Amino acid sequence: MATDHSPTMACPAPMKATSNGVFQGENPLNYAIPLIILQICVVVTFTRILAFILRPLRQPRVIAEIIGGILLGPSAIGRNKAFLHTVFPEKSMTVLETLADIGLIFFLFLVGLELDIRAIRRTGKKSLGIAVAGITLPFIFGIGTSFVLSSTIVKGTRQGPFIVFMGVSLSITAFPVLARILAELKLLTTDLGRIAMSAAAVNDVAAWILLALAISLTGTSTSPIVSLWVLLSGAAFIIFCVVAVRPLLALMARRSPEGEPVQELYICITLGLVLAASFVTDSIGIHALFGAFVVGIIIPKDGPFAGVLIEKLEDMVSGLFLPLYFAASGLKTNVATISGAQSWGLLVLVIFNACFGKIVGTFGMAMLYKVPIREAVALGFLMNTKGLVELIVLNIGRDRKVLNDQSFAILVLMALFTTFITTPIVMAVYTPARKGAPFKHRTILRKDRDTELRVLSCFHSTRNIPSLINLIESSRGIRKRGRLCIYSMHLMELSERSSAISMVHKARNNGLPFWNKIRDDKDYMVIAFEAYQQLSSVTVRPMTAISALNSIHEDICTSAHRKRASLIILPFHKHQRIDGTMESLGHSFHMVNQRVLRHAPCSVGILVDRGLGGTTQVAASEVSYKVVVPFFGGPDDCEALAYGMRMAEHPGIMLTVLKFKAPPGMSLTFGSKPSGVVDNGSSKNKLDDEVVDDEAIFSELVTSTDSNESVKCEEREVENKEDIIAILKSISKCNLFLVGRTPPVVPLAYNSDCPELGSVGCLLASSDFSTTASVLVLQQYSTTANLHSLVEEDINTDGYEVPDTPVAKV
């Protein structure tokens, strides 16, 4: 046998998995596992810091990940050769890209889980027409752009595949990124949001079909027969999945009933099918991603099965593996290749053609369907959103030698630019109208106390529910059915997790915030309120709000206005630990309460929960609470007293009203000014249209309950702050304090970080005061203080209310 002794280039030896450690004289960064661990830590930390920096601009996290990948590459930090060869050496790229592609396979599976083909089939003519126009025109512009690029910087490439790749890259709309932007801007349940989501779903499916066509044309063989075989085999694979695989997945979904854990075997089978499908499509010559995407689409979306799959995968895939894909793309992107007037001119040309084709195509078709002009413009920019699918297209094009380094960098920057401008431009050109009809009863304190009291009670988690239900039960008194109406709102943070977007997709077609639609998809936390409704005469209407914590107050206040609520009850941002100390849930929850206090269209109560009635719901016949109302004067104290008098109608409530008085010639402020508390309006109470002083209201409320033996009124004269604290501590064994937020009294607590509780509430909520008494701090609505209403009131607006979640039937 002849031996070829011609000189060959020596290939670097493959990296071993693990090292023996630094004490054995080995560098861990020369081995695959410690190096990939370092790379993951660097990429995740860097992109998360960028996401935090970009959060005020309301940019989706994909923007931070794309920018982070570019900055870590040779465009910025990677210019330091020592850093690049140490953290991202050439010999490690195979391991990095393999791990990134595995994560990408499962992420595309999650994307398929988010897409509901039934919704696409129900897409109306308007959305379908807009989607087609939004694909066709930019695809045509992409073809024209491809001829310009192929004659300048991409010479020698195969024209057919290059035309298809350019058309696809300019016509894509990123469905997951668009959903995130719409949810962030609270446009998902508007007409604009529904059109955009329907059109983007159609666009997404069309983009994958076009991408499959592009990939089939980029094989090493130049024979068109081979490309035809690839396409036919891909179509046969999809048919096989629908006919043979989908019934198996549907069987496993049926055997995973609501409320029971999904069998581990079913999860294992499904994930195995994802990998098997990816292997098949890669063998066909399309791409491994297609198999995972198809399996995700055909999984039944009803029931808990799809949700459990998302829960099992999303944090690991989206949090750790997906940023690696952006890093791998960034390491291939060298912005320095764009140099000279020609390159920058081509970048401007590509960005212009991408924006012009998508925006004008969408805008023109929207105008034909008589969409208002501002909505049509916003829709055009929304449909111009790029994202992960765009990067997938570009990376495949680069790996298949269709794109060179310069064209790759130009198209990556185009995707980054078009997505970055979406949010600020849509915010500038389109704001959904928030109009509502004025309503009368915005406070608990009112002349006609027999009118219906509407309360919007909010909760973060299950720990808030028992106390809220017990508070509601204590508030219903003995009035006739329907006199107390409760809207229970579960506050959920809109995160970057796929499950959050999946929940948002179940939003009802109208209304704010986002409501659950059908019983199978019901939020389990609201079921407790529905069960309570069956056992009481209180009308309970549960709902769920999903929004970013920095804007969820808009949902709360808007819903309260549309529901004509008189009181919003919010959970305190701290919860009590077993040892009695108060532990904060985070600064974001703290700020939510403060924003609601500033913008609320009605009175607001903040509940400091110390287990009112224990950890379970208390039956009506077993309610036995001692409630105390410290009364110092002012509108907020009058509101607290009015609420206490309503609670006193319940036979199980013992109410004690403590009226504090200063010696003659002095006030309860004792010469000091309450600090850290912003007054919420006039010192006078506005009872409907009549201004009444505190003494008149106190006398009226107290005399109206002279025959009620469960109400006890006491007057206490105090000479200093210490006297007030001593009296309050003497009755600290009660179950609930009702206190006004801004009473005219000297601050009772030192160094309080909770101004929303007021001068008295801060003392009552401190762990030193009590570990058993819950506190409800009330702020009365004031027209003079509410200068930042989120709803524009129009007397000509009809009395439309947001539809509720269907309640359980007996």
Side-chain angles (χ1 to χ4, degrees):
M1 178 181 293
T3 304
D4 186 4
H5 295 285
S6 60
T8 57
M9 184 178 294
C11 296
M15 296 181 72
K16 293 183 180 180
T18 58
S19 72
N20 293 320
V22 293
F23 295 110
Q24 299 290 334
E26 295 182 349
N27 184 358
L29 297 184
N30 291 330
Y31 296 84
I33 289 181
L35 183 58
I36 193 66
I37 291 173
L38 175 65
Q39 290 170 344
I40 292 174
C41 293
V42 169
V43 170
V44 172
T45 303
F46 191 66
T47 54
R48 289 290 174 151
I49 292 173
L50 281 176
F52 177 79
I53 294 172
L54 294 174
R55 186 179 300 171
L57 301 178
R58 306 181 80 167
Q59 293 292 334
R61 198 171 74 198
V62 66
I63 289 291
E65 290 170 336
I66 294 175
I67 295 176
I70 293 174
L71 293 180
L72 287 173
S75 301
I77 301 175
R79 284 180 173 271
N80 185 329
K81 299 301 182 183
F83 170 82
L84 196 63
H85 294 324
T86 302
V87 182
F88 297 104
E90 187 68 30
K91 60 184 178 181
S92 72
M93 295 311 295
T94 301
V95 177
L96 175 65
E97 292 181 1
T98 300
L99 194 59
D101 284 340
I102 292 293
L104 189 63
I105 285 171
F106 283 107
F107 182 79
L108 265 295
F109 169 65
L110 294 176
V111 172
L113 281 175
E114 289 183 4
L115 273 178
D116 192 345
I117 293 297
R118 294 173 302 180
I120 296 177
R121 287 202 300 262
R122 293 194 298 267
T123 300
K125 292 182 179 179
K126 181 190 295 186
S127 298
L128 184 60
I130 291 172
V132 171
I135 295 172
T136 305
L137 191 59
F139 195 92
I140 294 172
F141 273 83
I143 294 174
T145 306
S146 70
F147 287 109
V148 176
L149 293 181
S150 62
S151 63
T152 52
I153 62 173
V154 199
K155 294 179 179 179
T157 187
R158 284 176 289 169
Q159 194 65 40
F162 186 60
I163 287 174
V164 179
F165 266 99
M166 287 300 301
V168 172
S169 63
L170 266 63
S171 60
I172 280 178
T173 296
F175 179 82
V177 180
L178 177 63
R180 181 80 53 193
I181 292 174
L182 288 170
E184 177 75 21
L185 299 181
K186 302 188 187 302
L187 297 175
L188 200 65
T189 52
T190 63
D191 289 336
L192 176 67
R194 289 195 299 275
I195 294 172
M197 286 300 290
S198 298
V202 174
N203 192 302
D204 213 32
V205 173
W208 282 104
I209 295 173
L210 291 172
L211 181 57
L213 172 64
I215 293 174
S216 68
L217 296 174
T218 58
T220 55
S221 174
T222 58
S223 172
I225 302 297
V226 174
S227 299
L228 180 61
W229 272 113
V230 171
L231 286 176
L232 292 177
S233 299
F237 166 76
I238 294 175
I239 294 172
F240 174 78
C241 286
V242 172
V243 174
V245 180
R246 192 178 189 282
L248 174 62
L249 294 170
L251 177 64
M252 292 189 292
R254 286 196 302 271
R255 293 189 175 183
S256 304
E258 200 82 42
E260 294 184 12
V262 176
Q263 292 187 36
E264 183 268 342
L265 178 62
Y266 294 167
I267 302 292
C268 184
I269 291 174
T270 305
L271 299 183
L273 286 173
V274 172
L275 295 175
S278 300
F279 173 80
V280 171
T281 52
D282 191 76
S283 301
I284 290 173
I286 305 178
H287 200 281
L289 302 177
F290 283 92
F293 182 69
V294 170
V295 174
I297 284 182
I298 64 175
I299 287 181
K301 304 301 187 289
D302 299 329
F305 188 60
V308 170
L309 288 169
I310 292 175
E311 184 180 340
K312 297 284 186 184
L313 291 174
E314 60 182 348
D315 288 338
M316 180 69 75
V317 171
S318 300
L320 290 182
F321 292 147
L322 196 59
L324 292 182
Y325 188 79
F326 293 101
S329 297
L331 292 170
K332 302 173 187 174
T333 306
N334 189 356
V335 178
T337 59
I338 308 174
S339 60
Q342 183 189 68
S343 294
W344 287 106
L346 291 173
L347 174 62
V348 173
L349 175 68
V350 170
I351 292 176
F352 176 80
N353 285 350
C355 295
F356 187 82
K358 180 69 78 171
I359 295 169
V360 171
T362 304
F363 175 80
M365 186 59 68
M367 293 301 293
L368 288 178
Y369 282 109
K370 299 182 180 179
V371 175
I373 186 168
R374 293 174 70 89
E375 291 188 20
V377 172
L379 188 60
F381 280 96
L382 286 168
M383 296 300 290
N384 198 32
T385 303
K386 311 295 182 188
L388 179 64
V389 179
E390 174 79 7
L391 282 188
I392 293 172
V393 172
L394 300 182
N395 275 283
I396 292 174
R398 188 181 185 280
D399 294 339
R400 300 290 178 105
K401 309 300 182 183
V402 176
L403 303 175
N404 59 16
D405 290 347
Q406 193 172 357
S407 60
F408 180 79
I410 287 175
L411 291 171
V412 168
L413 291 182
M414 177 272 293
L416 180 63
F417 177 82
T418 55
T419 307
F420 191 89
I421 65 172
T422 299
T423 299
I425 290 181
V426 171
M427 290 175 64
V429 302
Y430 178 75
T431 301
R434 286 186 179 141
K435 293 186 178 181
F439 64 102
K440 182 178 182 182
H441 296 304
R442 298 174 182 262
T443 62
I444 305 169
L445 181 65
R446 58 187 69 167
K447 282 186 176 180
D448 186 2
R449 292 195 292 275
D450 288 331
T451 52
E452 181 184 53
L453 177 64
R454 294 188 171 197
V455 179
L456 177 65
S457 62
C458 305
F459 58 95
H460 301 142
S461 63
T462 52
R463 70 163 63 94
N464 306 131
I465 294 178
S467 293
L468 268 179
I469 292 181
N470 291 334
L471 179 64
I472 293 166
E473 169 60 31
S474 306
S475 306
R476 70 183 180 92
I478 54 175
R479 297 174 184 270
K480 297 178 181 179
R481 182 178 178 86
R483 292 301 184 185
L484 179 63
C485 181
I486 302 295
Y487 298 92
S488 60
M489 178 180 285
H490 181 195
L491 306 180
M492 296 186 65
E493 181 181 7
L494 176 67
S495 66
E496 295 286 343
R497 309 173 86 179
S498 298
S499 58
I501 289 297
S502 297
M503 293 190 68
V504 171
H505 288 172
K506 297 169 185 175
R508 192 172 274 187
N509 284 341
N510 46 9
L512 268 173
F514 312 119
W515 318 106
N516 295 321
K517 186 176 181 182
I518 57 177
R519 181 74 187 181
D520 290 342
D521 294 323
K522 191 172 293 295
D523 182 351
Y524 281 106
M525 292 192 185
V526 302
I527 294 178
F529 287 93
E530 294 185 349
Y532 166 69
Q533 178 180 241
Q534 309 308 317
L535 303 174
S536 68
S537 59
V538 178
T539 302
V540 180
R541 297 177 180 177
M543 58 185 74
T544 303
I546 308 174
S547 188
L549 290 183
N550 61 0
S551 62
I552 201 168
H553 68 282
E554 299 175 9
D555 295 337
I556 298 172
C557 296
T558 305
S559 299
H561 193 285
R562 292 191 174 185
K563 292 301 180 184
R564 303 185 182 92
S566 302
L567 176 65
I568 300 172
I569 298 179
L570 300 168
F572 189 43
H573 74 281
K574 297 181 181 179
H575 73 275
Q576 185 168 263
R577 298 169 58 180
I578 297 177
D579 60 1
T581 59
M582 302 296 288
E583 182 180 41
S584 175
L585 298 174
H587 181 67
S588 298
F589 290 104
H590 189 189
M591 296 306 297
V592 168
N593 290 354
Q594 295 191 17
R595 293 187 187 104
V596 173
L597 286 170
R598 287 196 297 269
H599 299 283
C602 59
S603 295
V604 180
I606 298 178
L607 178 62
V608 182
D609 180 16
R610 291 195 176 108
L612 180 63
T615 58
T616 58
Q617 177 188 335
V618 177
S621 59
E622 298 176 4
V623 170
S624 179
Y625 300 147
K626 182 180 178 182
V627 180
V628 175
V629 179
F631 188 86
F632 299 91
D636 294 348
D637 275 24
C638 290
E639 191 77 351
L641 181 59
Y643 194 53
M645 291 304 175
R646 181 181 181 94
M647 294 182 71
E649 296 177 4
H650 195 291
I653 299 295
M654 292 294 297
L655 177 68
T656 300
V657 181
L658 285 177
K659 184 179 181 183
F660 289 87
K661 296 180 61 178
M666 294 183 65
S667 71
L668 291 172
T669 60
F670 305 115
S672 66
K673 184 179 180 180
S675 60
V677 177
V678 180
D679 192 9
N680 70 324
S682 171
S683 60
K684 296 290 185 180
N685 288 277
K686 192 171 183 181
L687 193 60
D688 293 343
D689 293 326
E690 181 183 351
V691 176
V692 188
D693 61 24
D694 302 342
E695 288 295 333
I697 290 177
F698 182 85
S699 301
E700 180 185 354
L701 289 173
V702 171
T703 54
S704 67
T705 57
D706 284 343
S707 60
N708 190 344
E709 297 179 355
S710 63
V711 179
K712 181 172 65 172
C713 295
E714 301 178 8
E715 285 194 6
R716 301 289 182 91
E717 185 174 296
V718 291
E719 297 183 353
N720 50 45
K721 178 175 70 175
E722 287 71 24
D723 290 348
I724 299 175
I725 295 175
I727 292 172
L728 291 175
K729 284 190 174 181
S730 67
I731 54 170
S732 62
K733 298 299 182 183
C734 69
N735 300 100
L736 177 66
F737 280 100
L738 298 175
V739 60
R741 177 174 175 248
T742 57
V745 65
V746 64
L748 304 180
Y750 297 99
N751 300 324
S752 173
D753 60 346
C754 305
E756 70 274 13
L757 296 184
S759 54
V760 181
C762 288
L763 171 69
L764 302 181
S766 66
S767 302
D768 297 334
F769 180 83
S770 174
T771 58
T772 57
S774 298
V775 184
L776 183 63
V777 180
L778 289 155
Q779 172 182 283
Q780 186 184 75
Y781 172 78
S782 170
T783 54
T784 58
N786 186 27
L787 303 177
H788 309 286
S789 178
L790 297 172
V791 179
E792 180 183 347
E793 293 190 353
D794 186 353
I795 196 169
N796 296 319
T797 305
D798 59 13
Y800 170 76
E801 287 190 17
V802 180
D804 306 304
T805 304
V807 295
K809 303 297 182 183
V810 180

